[in-house]
Amino acid sequence: MSHLSQRPDDAVVGLPLPHESADLHVTGHALYTDDLVQRTPRVLHAHPVCSPHAHATVTRLDVTPALDVDGVVRVLTADDVPGINDAGVKHDEPLFPSEVMFVGHAVCWVLGETLEAARLGAEAVQVDYDPLPAVVSLTEAIAAESFQGARPVVERGDVDAALAGAAHVFEGTTEMAGQEHFYLETHASLALVDEGGQVFVQSSTQHPTETQEIVAHVLGVASHAVTVQCLRMGGGFGGKEMQPHGFAAVAALGATITGRPVRLRLDRTHDMTMTGKRHGFHATWRVGFDDDGLLVGLDTTLTSDGGWSLDLSEPVLARALCHVDNAYWIPHVRARGRVARTHKTSQTAFRGFGGPQGMLVIEDVLGRCAPLLGVDPVDLRRRNFYAEGQATPYGQPVRHPDRVVAAWEQVLASGDVVRRQAEVEAFNDSHPHRRRGLALTPVKFGISFNFTAFNQGGALVHVYKDGSVLINHGGTEMGQGLHTKMLQVAATSLGVPLERVRLAPTRTDKVPNTSATAASSSTDLNGGAVKDACEQILARLREVDGGRGLAWDDLVREAYFSRVQLWAAGFYRTEGLHWDPVAMQGHPFKYFAYGVAATEVEVDGFTGSYTTRRVDIVHDVGDSLSPLVDLGQVEGGFVQGLGWLTLEDLRWDETDGPGRGRLTTQAASTYKLPSLSELPDELHVALLDQAHEEGAVYGSKAVGEPPLMLALSVREALRQAAAAFGPAGTSVELASPATPEAVYWALDRARRTAPAPTELAEV
């Protein structure tokens, strides 16, 4: 067993502890970025002037009327930028644009003594536009060949020959919508300049280092002149990985010019209309099976809706291509990818980071093809699982495929699936206007950043003379429990009680050059770094102790008086990774996280409305560092996935009128989020036993993103329930999200159409 993954007998990791700030969250005492405004005197408030056009040239910008509004102090424009007028790491996102690229694009920002003054000032700014043609939908972009960025291909074997020789070949199209992050805390930044000229930015950001770098290059200063702190976030889900940087830069620019602190916080409507979403995808595919129902070949093209700039679209697409196999062995594969350019918000990271979109493609293929092959979908999925010794289409061996089998068998048993399948069949035979469906789907999700260089983490650990411990690491807390796990790792590593350890907010002047808190890797990276720092300190303390067995406080005191260093900077990098982004081949992931979900639904044949009756989940988190935190992540991830696949329906105005390109679902009143009424009547979650992960911090595995894909079982259950309204062998095409309306039209087609849909006819 490796030193990194070995646990002592008295470990604090593994204990079911509550979130370290749980009491602050529920009592309202937890402070977030915008709460700090109340503690900062003379703050100015920023408000955007947003474009009403999806695509237009700014022909005139007159800010003088705003300056006549009482309380307006300054209007920030491109002329004020001392450095680079760009907020994107690809240098394709002008901070103050002369060509607006989506409805809501901010052309300037008004600073006022109050938010209301800034808002009135923004209304007074006069802007003339010359409207230009706008590409709004993904299908429009494909037809117009409006693409951006690289076009990667993952390929193995001879797909054309495999499909030509396959016993059964089918083809189809799969489309899926994006998703709004809808974090509770909207984007917020608070910037000030201290007496030494340092720009200090409090930001709700998942990537403080990148926020620091963008602020620095907008201001035209070195990174050491900018410090970014993230106290905590009220949710992120990927939406605060890349998108906070421009807002932080606006606040920092305002503070630099006026000499006063500047606060920028988006209201909910601005947040929804100005920031990116999960990428919607369009996929075409041809798939071949042999007479035993085994996959022999898949040829697919995935097109993502990138919006107006690249943002993170290229790595999102790469991860989608690397997950189009999910848990299934496909001997011959060709998966092409491309990013569409549309005149919408620049779509960005979202929990799963392309993995869910790629996995939905293969699950849609299997769900639609199973009835045409005359095979139960549960059996079709199980017989195509990876086996030991097989590798992914991009060349990475699949380690521990037995774990997805173990999770599958455990769900079958604990969920009493065989008996319930018979009950579902009996119910459907006796209820002409209601149908039930029961589906199982697996998850195999790769853990690590696609970009190898990001797989590093840092930490700073102090032991004070009284034996108390302070830790600081490069990860950010957004409610996911990272800080809780880091406290447990530090206490376990040092062998001290948890109450002796405190954690400081994430700051770029304490731990530099950090990676984003993303890719489900933050516990692995920062936990490894915290452990490394603690072990450096322990090694020094052992020399002081000399085998005497001194108590902790006595040992620390003696070490201090012996002039022994009681602090350490820790570092961790994930070993064994290599990736060629051009060839799309290599070993990009440290390991795979596995899971299985079984979902039972009931559908009303008159309306398409449905209830989720029961969900059984078994998920692989390795040796859990913090079981309560991990269970919460599994449950929350599943529910967020359920929202993406069944409820959350982003809509943009695609008409040719003046509202073209406007997000029409820009509030909770028009954008449906999961609520208590959508939760399963029964939700059973278990963590997979005997799942130790060698070479990971204390044998644990990532848990943030993989559970989201467990919700694919809900969509597949809805498909089976809709198909049950038709004759045996009916193949159902189901829209995503599978809203009640979409389910109704699917079941209505099943009722009215005896043969399989023509678009899925065997070719």
Side-chain angles (χ1 to χ4, degrees):
M1 183 179 291
S2 76
H3 184 56
L4 182 65
S5 55
Q6 186 175 1
R7 294 189 177 191
D9 293 335
D10 57 349
V12 178
V13 295
L15 298 179
L17 302 177
H19 189 287
E20 48 90 20
S21 293
D23 55 340
L24 300 178
H25 292 161
V26 299
T27 59
H29 287 97
L31 294 179
Y32 297 87
T33 297
D34 202 52
D35 294 320
L36 303 176
V37 173
Q38 305 303 320
R39 303 176 175 210
T40 308
R42 302 180 66 241
V43 172
L44 296 176
H45 304 261
H47 197 283
V49 176
C50 295
S51 165
H53 303 285
H55 190 201
T57 301
V58 178
T59 58
R60 185 177 72 95
L61 175 62
D62 185 1
V63 304
T64 52
L67 299 175
D68 293 332
V69 174
D70 188 40
V72 170
V73 173
R74 184 81 182 221
V75 180
L76 301 177
T77 70
D79 293 337
D80 295 311
V81 176
I84 301 172
N85 180 31
D86 194 280
V89 296
K90 297 284 187 178
H91 303 296
D92 60 348
E93 300 182 35
L95 186 60
F96 298 97
S98 57
E99 179 183 356
V100 294
M101 301 295 283
F102 63 94
V103 174
H105 206 166
V107 296
C108 63
W109 289 79
V110 178
L111 306 181
E113 297 284 357
T114 65
L115 183 59
E116 179 65 5
R119 185 187 70 81
L120 293 174
E123 287 187 356
V125 172
Q126 296 178 5
V127 191
D128 291 339
Y129 301 92
D130 183 10
L132 299 169
V135 175
V136 176
S137 73
L138 185 49
T139 52
E140 286 175 359
I142 294 172
E145 296 190 349
S146 176
F147 302 113
Q148 57 185 325
R151 297 197 189 188
V153 180
V154 173
E155 191 164 11
R156 174 176 61 195
D158 190 335
V159 174
D160 296 328
L163 293 178
H168 308 278
V169 178
F170 307 98
E171 63 183 7
T173 299
T174 301
E175 296 183 70
M176 63 206 78
Q179 186 178 17
E180 163 62 33
H181 300 87
F182 219 100
Y183 24 65
L184 291 178
E185 177 205 25
T186 58
H187 278 278
S189 290
L190 174 64
L192 57 87
V193 181
D194 68 14
E195 74 285 354
Q198 175 196 224
V199 180
F200 183 60
V201 183
Q202 302 269 9
S203 177
S204 183
T205 176
Q206 292 174 235
H207 201 343
T209 287
E210 203 164 73
T211 300
Q212 174 193 31
E213 291 168 349
I214 296 296
V215 169
H217 84 225
V218 168
L219 297 181
V221 300
S223 290
H224 72 227
V226 178
T227 298
V228 174
Q229 173 171 296
C230 178
L231 184 60
R232 59 166 57 85
M233 284 170 280
F237 309 118
K240 294 175 181 175
E241 180 175 349
M242 184 77 78
Q243 306 258 317
H245 311 332
F247 303 125
V250 169
L253 177 63
T256 301
I257 289 175
T258 65
R260 294 175 58 177
V262 172
R263 166 247 196 171
L264 188 160
R265 184 187 67 82
L266 301 183
D267 61 29
R268 182 63 63 184
T269 299
H270 277 138
D271 198 284
M272 293 188 72
T273 56
M274 297 176 69
T275 68
K277 325 294 179 195
R278 183 188 294 282
H279 293 72
F281 268 65
H282 175 282
T284 57
W285 47 263
R286 294 182 74 232
V287 65
F289 297 86
D290 66 15
D291 282 327
D292 294 324
L294 295 178
L295 288 156
V296 296
L298 174 67
D299 188 5
T300 182
T301 298
L302 276 60
T303 308
S304 72
D305 185 346
W308 74 279
S309 66
L310 273 174
D311 194 275
L312 289 164
S313 293
E314 289 176 312
V316 165
L317 179 63
R319 185 170 280 265
L321 294 174
C322 289
H323 284 78
V324 78
D325 59 326
N326 193 11
Y328 309 109
W329 164 249
I330 313 172
H332 303 274
V333 178
R334 181 168 56 225
R336 300 182 180 92
R338 55 192 181 179
V339 178
R341 187 196 301 274
T342 57
H343 293 102
K344 292 190 284 195
T345 54
S346 187
Q347 314 311 14
T348 192
F350 200 126
R351 197 176 194 169
F353 202 79
Q357 294 95 316
M359 292 160 70
L360 190 149
V361 172
I362 190 62
E363 295 300 340
D364 195 51
V365 167
L366 295 176
R368 290 162 70 175
C369 293
L372 302 177
L373 293 167
V375 180
D376 183 279
V378 174
D379 294 336
L380 183 64
R381 289 183 165 90
R382 174 62 185 87
R383 68 180 65 173
N384 279 287
F385 280 177
Y386 275 105
E388 192 68 45
Q390 293 175 335
T392 64
Y394 47 90
Q396 177 162 345
V398 178
R399 292 176 56 245
H400 302 311
D402 56 303
R403 292 190 182 177
V404 74
V405 175
W408 187 269
E409 297 298 329
Q410 187 172 329
V411 166
L412 285 173
S414 63
D416 202 7
V417 171
V418 174
R419 178 188 63 79
R420 288 168 54 213
Q421 283 177 317
E423 286 184 354
V424 166
E425 188 174 344
F427 179 90
N428 291 345
D429 288 342
S430 59
H431 291 77
H433 304 303
R434 301 188 73 81
R435 293 286 192 274
R436 290 178 181 173
L438 175 57
L440 275 75
T441 58
V443 165
K444 175 185 70 65
F445 190 80
I447 302 299
S448 290
F449 285 93
N450 295 64
F451 185 51
T452 302
F454 287 168
N455 294 288
Q456 58 177 293
L460 184 62
V461 175
H462 297 321
V463 176
Y464 293 98
K465 287 187 290 183
D466 64 355
S468 63
V469 180
L470 179 69
I471 65 173
N472 191 291
H473 62 89
T476 56
E477 176 64 46
M478 58 190 110
Q480 84 278 34
L482 176 62
H483 284 352
T484 306
K485 290 184 174 182
M486 295 304 97
L487 288 166
Q488 290 179 267
V489 167
T492 299
S493 299
L494 293 172
V496 300
L498 188 65
E499 58 268 20
R500 299 301 299 274
V501 186
R502 179 175 169 269
L503 188 141
T506 308
R507 288 173 60 120
T508 57
D509 61 352
K510 297 296 186 292
V511 180
N513 308 325
T514 59
S515 297
T517 302
S520 301
S521 297
S522 296
T523 294
D524 289 358
L525 299 177
N526 297 291
V530 168
K531 193 170 188 293
D532 176 54
C534 292
E535 287 172 348
Q536 291 179 49
I537 296 169
L538 279 178
R540 300 177 197 133
L541 291 176
R542 289 191 192 99
E543 292 187 11
V544 174
D545 182 73
R548 292 177 291 167
L550 293 175
W552 173 257
D553 287 358
D554 294 335
L555 177 59
V556 169
R557 188 179 305 108
E558 184 168 329
Y560 169 75
F561 284 106
S562 299
R563 296 185 295 175
V564 171
Q565 182 179 335
L566 290 173
W567 57 268
F571 182 75
Y572 173 82
R573 66 181 218 166
T574 309
E575 299 295 343
L577 305 181
H578 57 91
W579 179 242
D580 184 336
V582 177
M584 293 291 285
Q585 291 291 307
H587 196 297
F589 304 122
K590 175 67 173 176
Y591 54 79
F592 295 103
Y594 300 104
V596 172
T599 296
E600 181 180 343
V601 300
E602 183 174 319
V603 174
D604 184 329
F606 293 112
T607 64
S609 62
Y610 47 80
T611 56
T612 305
R613 292 171 47 80
R614 176 172 173 174
V615 175
D616 293 87
I617 291 171
V618 173
H619 196 72
D620 169 22
V621 300
D623 291 340
S624 176
L625 292 177
S626 197
L628 281 181
V629 168
D630 286 346
L631 284 170
Q633 285 292 288
V634 174
E635 293 169 352
F638 172 82
V639 171
Q640 192 166 50
L642 178 150
W644 171 52
L645 292 166
T646 67
L647 295 169
E648 300 180 41
D649 195 5
L650 288 168
R651 295 293 180 97
W652 279 268
D653 187 341
E654 297 179 12
T655 65
D656 291 329
R660 180 170 174 77
R662 180 179 64 90
L663 179 66
T664 60
T665 51
Q666 59 182 10
S669 58
T670 50
Y671 184 76
K672 177 63 175 172
L673 294 162
S675 61
L676 289 175
S677 61
E678 282 78 39
L679 295 183
D681 294 337
E682 295 183 58
L683 176 59
H684 306 282
V685 178
L687 303 180
L688 185 66
D689 292 329
Q690 298 180 336
H692 177 86
E693 185 61 32
E694 191 68 17
V697 60
Y698 289 123
S700 65
K701 274 188 173 181
V703 70
E705 292 170 298
L708 184 135
M709 282 70 84
L710 296 166
L712 289 164
S713 61
V714 181
R715 186 172 184 271
E716 291 306 303
L718 290 171
R719 184 201 307 281
Q720 291 176 213
F725 284 92
T730 298
S731 176
V732 167
E733 182 177 351
L734 185 60
S736 184
T739 61
E741 294 85 352
V743 172
Y744 174 78
W745 292 119
L747 69 86
D748 188 59
R749 286 192 299 270
R751 265 192 303 227
R752 293 187 290 106
T753 308
T758 56
E759 67 270 21
L760 250 188
E762 192 169 343
V763 295

